[in-house]
Amino acid sequence: MMTTPLPSSGKPRYIEIGINLTDPVYSGSYHGTQRHDSDLSDVIQRAVDSGCSKLIVTASDLSESHKAVELARTYRKPSVSTICIGSNV
């Protein structure tokens, strides 16, 4: 995680550079079984509350890449972006 300079408020700001928000656990699914409601919005809000101003979503294949792009479109605050490079070999 990279630290950026302190804003005028004195609260640290962070950029999460490798968060896998496409993982099914954020939707409450563990090993193919639904265990709880999706808490993705809560996870993102906790990141914001702790000082994360940007989240960079990672993906390992084309399907996850599409999901990552959709997350970036859905969550504009904080700034959620995606980078999808590599392959799942």
Side-chain angles (χ1 to χ4, degrees):
M1 186 180 308
M2 295 174 40
T3 303
T4 57
L6 291 176
S8 59
S9 68
K11 183 178 180 182
R13 294 185 318 173
Y14 301 99
I15 299 172
E16 176 56 63
I17 61 169
I19 188 167
N20 187 5
L21 294 177
T22 61
D23 191 299
V25 298
Y26 296 111
S27 298
S29 178
Y30 294 83
H31 305 289
T33 303
Q34 193 68 31
R35 301 291 182 150
H36 60 79
D37 292 335
S38 175
D39 59 353
L40 178 62
S41 294
D42 294 334
V43 169
I44 291 173
Q45 188 59 53
R46 285 194 300 271
V48 170
D49 292 346
S50 67
C52 272
S53 60
K54 299 186 186 308
L55 305 173
I56 300 173
V57 180
T58 59
S60 61
D61 59 27
L62 187 58
S63 175
E64 283 188 10
S65 297
H66 287 295
K67 292 175 187 175
V69 168
E70 195 56 40
L71 282 171
R73 288 182 178 145
T74 302
Y75 294 93
R76 300 274 182 195
K77 295 288 181 179
S79 176
V80 175
S81 60
T82 182
I83 185 165
C84 308
I85 301 172
S87 64
N88 193 5
V89 180

